[in-house]
Every structure is written in C-alpha cells, then in structure tokens.
C-alpha cells in the first residue's frame, strides 16, 4: 500500500468522524437517545483509531538501529492491532452495555428531529469517507474480491478504514431504525435494541481486525506472485542452477526479507559464486522492489540428499511452503 493513499483515506475518515461525533453528542443531549450516545462514543473511538494509525505510520518511518536492525516497519501492525482493541472495548462493549441498560430502563426520545437529522448527516459524511477508502483500495485491490483484499493486504491501514467505515454505515442504519421504531411505537426499548445491535456489530468487526493484524504481527510471507518473481530472479541457469529452499518474511508492509539456500555448480570458484549472488540480488530487487533484505547461501545441490526428503534440522520449520492464497 502506498503511504500517500493510506494517509488520504485515514485523514478523510478522521475528519468525518470528528464532525459526526460532535453532532451525535449534541443530539444525545437534546433527545436523550441511547443510540445517539452509543454512536457518539463509536465515532469518538473511530477518531482515536485513525489517530493511532497516523502515529503508527509516523513511527514506522524511523531508521534502523543496532537494537532494531530490521527497522520499525511493524509499528504499523502494532498500532492497527491497538485499533481493534479500542474498537472492541470502547466502541463495542460500551454500546452493548448502553443497549442493555436502555432495554431494561426504556424512556421516550425527546426532540426526535435532533437524532434523525444527525443520523442523516452522519450517513452522508461516512459515505464520503467510505467512498475515499474504496477509491484508494481499488488502486491496489486488482482482481481480488473485497474479502480477499482485506485478508491478503500487508499494509493494515486501508483494510482497517474500510471495515470501520462499513461498520459505521451499518451502525448508523441500525441507529436510525431503532430511533424510528421507538418514535413510531412510542416505546424506547427499540432504541435500546438498535444500540445493542450496534455493539454486537462493532465487536464482530473488532474480532476480524484483531485476527488479521495478529497474523501480520506474527509475520507473513510474501504473496504468491512476489514469491514466483523472486524464484524466477534467483536462478540464472549457469552458476545458480536452482533453489534448495527459500523463506520470505514481511518486516513491514513495504519491506521484505528474503533468505534462500541456492544450488551452485561444484566446480565454480568463490569469485564466480559471489558474482552470481550479487547479480541475483540485483534481479530480485528489480523484480520485487520491497525485497530490501536478502540473504543467499550457496550450497552444492545433491540429488541423493534431496531424495531423502526435507530435513527439519537443516531447514528449520520444514520445507518451504507456498504462501496461502487467503
């Protein structure tokens, strides 16, 4: 994900959520609607989430240090994971609690035009933010479905903003439905039911975000297309005759580590092997620019040893696996 694209989507979402949060709290004060209070907290939590994403992006740009020789690219994953926690605790759990209280102790909505007007305004503002996130994501999504894009993306910002905005729009519809039914039936329980549904929705979205960002934090391999490009770049057919095994790991959204044991001819000189390795590294970086940390270990390929199967001791973790298409 380009940093500029992600930043535009985050800033658009931040501006929309701050304006929406202020309007929702005003509507709650005048109407007493619990849906408005839950939605106000939701928008405030979303604003904090966007601030966390911006902070993570800034911290990830720090230069590598002796203590952190591979840099700080994973800061973006850490702050994205914090977003899921905030969304779950502040947004989801608060809305569930508020909805339960409102169902248990319902009261009528006063000055109905405040919550209805604010919800309509919020839907328009969230729609603008969602449209920006979709536009930025389409530049990177390619032919993948939206679910594939969210699950395969190595940069967390756009998937986070997409899910937040999608959840916000659905939540606003639920809030509007709860307020509308409460007004039509003169029963405040519907407002509480709408609030409860908002809370459940936010918790589900938070769990999806947590699962995806946890996978990134644990370390994900390069995508299938990148792996194929790297493999094709390593082998030159002369000095480097094949790949014995290879590992890739994202050090950050835009930084990839490549480690491979490569097969060379038994009678090649050290100078010829070193020259071949340098050429292979150049080809890898040209084919996959985010491959910035590359370690290639030469070895003599043996058909007899290969026939014995993968050796977990020689190849920690077992044989190289093809990255999942998920």
């Amino acid at each position: 994900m380009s940093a500029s694209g992600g930043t535009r989507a985050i800033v658009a979402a931040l501006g929309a959520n701050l304006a929406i949060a202020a309007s929702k709290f005003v509507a709650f004060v005048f109407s007493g609607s619990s849906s408005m209070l839950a939605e106000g907290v939701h928008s405030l939590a979303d604003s904090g989430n966007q601030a966390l994403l911006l902070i993570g992006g800034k911290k990830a740009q720090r230069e590598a240090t002796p203590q952190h020789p591979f840099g700080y690219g994973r800061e973006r994953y850490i702050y994205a994971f914090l977003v899921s926690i905030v969304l779950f605790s502040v947004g989801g759990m608060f809305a569930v609690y508020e909805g339960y209280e409102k169902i248990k102790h319902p009261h009528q909505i006063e000055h109905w035009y405040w919550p209805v007007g604010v919800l309509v305004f919020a839907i328009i503002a969230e729609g603008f933010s969602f449209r920006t996130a979709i536009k930025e994501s389409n530049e990177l999504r390619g032919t993948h479905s939206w679910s594939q894009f969210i699950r395969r993306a190595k940069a967390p910002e756009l998937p986070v903003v997409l899910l937040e905005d999608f959840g916000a729009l659905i939540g606003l519809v639920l809030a509007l439905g709860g307020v509308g039914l409460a007004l039509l039936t003169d029963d405040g329980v519907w407002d509480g039911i709408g609030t409860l549904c908002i809370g459940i929705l936010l918790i589900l979205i938070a769990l999806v975000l947590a699962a995806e960002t946890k996978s990134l934090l644990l370390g994900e391999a390069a995508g299938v297309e990148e792996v194929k490009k790297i493999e094709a770049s390593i082998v030159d057919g002369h000095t480097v005759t094949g790949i014995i095994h290879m590992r890739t790991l994202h050090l950050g959204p835009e930084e990839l580590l490549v480690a491979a044991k490569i097969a060379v001819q038994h009678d090649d000189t050290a100078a010829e092997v070193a020259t071949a390795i340098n050429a292979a590294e150049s080809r890898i970086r040209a084919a996959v620019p985010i491959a910035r940390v590359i370690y290639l270990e030469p070895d003599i390929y043996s058909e007899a040893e290969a026939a014995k199967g993968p050796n977990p001791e020689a190849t920690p973790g077992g044989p190289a696996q093809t990255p999942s298409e998920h």
Side-chain angles (χ1 to χ4, degrees), residues 16-252:
N17 281 318
L18 286 174
I20 292 169
S23 64
K24 288 174 180 176
F25 283 125
V26 170
F28 164 71
V29 170
F30 282 96
S31 67
S33 168
S34 67
S35 291
M36 284 294 92
L37 178 60
E39 276 293 309
V41 173
H42 173 200
S43 295
L44 197 61
D46 280 353
S47 301
N49 289 340
Q50 274 100 51
L52 286 173
L53 292 176
L54 291 173
I55 293 171
K58 185 69 175 177
K59 286 183 172 291
Q61 296 175 7
R62 290 179 293 171
E63 296 292 333
T65 65
Q67 187 176 8
H68 297 92
F70 292 114
Y72 293 85
R74 289 195 180 185
E75 290 268 16
R76 288 164 68 177
Y77 299 153
I78 293 171
Y79 279 85
F81 188 74
L82 290 176
V83 165
S84 67
I85 296 174
V86 172
L87 192 63
F88 178 86
S89 58
V90 179
M93 296 304 292
F94 176 82
V96 168
Y97 170 78
E98 185 65 22
Y100 170 78
E101 287 294 316
K102 187 61 181 287
I103 293 172
K104 190 175 180 181
H105 307 289
H107 63 80
Q108 293 183 340
I109 296 176
E110 301 174 357
H111 307 293
W112 63 269
Y113 41 85
W114 276 102
V116 172
V118 166
L119 287 172
V120 172
F121 164 74
I123 289 173
I124 295 172
E126 284 289 359
F128 169 77
S129 174
F130 194 40
R131 177 179 175 273
T132 302
I134 289 174
K135 181 180 178 181
E136 300 297 335
S137 299
N138 276 333
E139 296 179 2
L140 304 172
R141 186 167 64 94
T143 58
H144 298 302
S145 66
W146 285 108
S147 61
Q148 288 176 326
F149 172 71
I150 290 171
R151 298 188 65 187
R152 291 165 57 95
K154 305 303 181 184
E157 291 85 356
L158 281 175
V160 168
V161 173
L162 279 169
L163 286 175
E164 277 189 351
D165 287 349
F166 176 76
L169 283 170
I170 300 299
L172 288 167
V173 172
L174 292 172
L176 188 60
V179 170
L181 288 172
L183 292 171
L184 290 173
T185 62
D186 201 26
D187 187 352
V189 169
W190 287 107
D191 188 29
I193 293 174
T195 306
L196 186 63
C197 291
I198 292 169
I200 294 172
L201 173 68
L202 294 180
I203 289 173
L204 292 175
I205 291 175
L207 291 175
V208 172
L209 285 178
E212 294 305 316
T213 51
K214 184 193 77 169
S215 178
L216 292 170
L217 278 171
L218 289 173
E220 289 190 357
V224 176
E225 294 177 1
E226 286 75 15
V227 169
K228 290 180 179 178
K229 290 179 181 178
I230 293 170
E231 290 175 340
S233 300
I234 290 177
V235 179
D236 60 11
H238 302 289
T239 304
V240 182
T241 59
I243 300 172
I244 298 174
H245 63 77
M246 184 176 77
R247 299 285 186 274
T248 61
L249 178 69
H250 269 273
L251 302 173

Side-chain angles (χ1 to χ4, degrees), residues 238-239 241 263-270 272-273 299-302:
H238 302 289
T239 304
T241 59
V264 297
Q265 302 290 350
H266 70 279
D267 55 350
D268 288 332
T269 66
E272 290 174 333
V273 171
D299 201 349
I300 305 300
Y301 180 77
S302 169

